[in-house]
Each structure stands twice: as structure tokens, then as C-alpha cells.
Amino acid sequence: MTNSSQVNKLSTDIVPEKRINTESGIIYLYKLFNYKKHLSALGKQYVQRTVVAIILNDLLNDCYVLTHHESGGPVLEHKLYKEISISHSQGYFALYLAYEEAVGVDVEGKRIMHRDGFGYFLNENEIKQSWSESELV
């Protein structure tokens, strides 16, 4: 059972980290401080859903509907954004709000990754590029 003080604390621990404008829409990256503490107090699924709702309410001024496809993917109803992709990992939350076409975003916690695993996240042309750390964040 959650109480309002736990939810208020959760809300105050959500901090915007980055905004990336693309031709398709906007990617927002947020960090939830005290992530593990919130998980133990409220449960993983509750924290994930509530954080996404708090972020969307802030970004879209409560003027949206978020439902899910039968497959489980999110469906956004909003006057400007027609598609949404949501990812979360280790206290980071990424939301990609797109104007028209379906999009995808993935956030991973910082870790050492071997070049052999890049094919999972990047296509052949992207693998050939040189990437700065800021571009990978």
C-alpha cells in the first residue's frame, strides 16, 4: 500500500537530464534519484508506471491518454504527438514522443560493453562511426 508522502517523494526525485530534438519528435531522458529505495518501498512496476505518468503529466500538461496495444506496447493519444516509445533502466527513464511514425528508444545503465555486442544496438553503418561518450549517453 502506498501513501501520498511516498508518491510525493518519488515525484521530487525525478530530474530531467537531457532533451534531444529529432526530425521525428523529441527524446527526453530523466533520472530518478534514490531508485533502489523507491523500488523497495513501492515495488518495481508501480515505480516505473508512476514515474512515466509523472513525466508525461509534466510534459503534456495532463492532456493525453496512454493505453497499451495487446502486445503490451504503449499507445499515446495526444494532439501533437502520435507515437511514444518508453524505456527505463537503473533509475533512468527515456521517452521518445514522435509526431507521426513509430519510433524506438532504449536506455541502458552505464556499463562496459564489448564491441561484439554493438550489433544488438546499432546497425552496420552506425558501428563504423566513431562515437563520443556524449553521443552514447
Side-chain angles (χ1 to χ4, degrees), residues 21-117:
N21 293 309
T22 72
E23 288 182 21
S24 301
I26 305 172
I27 301 169
Y28 295 93
L29 179 65
Y30 284 77
K31 172 136 178 79
L32 173 62
F33 288 95
N34 302 309
Y35 178 66
K36 290 183 180 179
K37 182 179 170 185
H38 290 299
L39 288 184
S40 67
L42 301 169
K44 185 176 182 177
Q45 187 176 38
Y46 181 84
V47 167
Q48 291 170 344
R49 288 181 184 224
T50 303
V51 168
V52 169
I54 290 168
I55 293 169
L56 284 173
N57 288 341
D58 185 52
L59 294 174
L60 305 179
N61 299 315
D62 297 325
C63 298
Y64 72 94
V65 175
L66 183 66
T67 58
H68 293 85
H69 290 288
E70 287 181 14
S71 64
V75 176
L76 180 67
E77 294 178 36
H78 183 262
K79 63 183 175 186
L80 178 61
Y81 301 108
K82 307 301 180 214
E83 296 286 342
I84 186 170
S85 178
I86 302 168
S87 179
H88 36 74
S89 177
Q90 300 177 21
Y92 286 93
F93 290 76
L95 284 77
Y96 194 162
L97 303 177
Y99 305 118
E100 293 296 329
E101 71 251 16
V103 294
V105 67
D106 187 33
V107 63
E108 295 285 334
K110 196 170 189 174
R111 61 189 165 103
I112 295 173
M113 186 173 164
H114 298 284
R115 191 163 185 76
D116 295 343

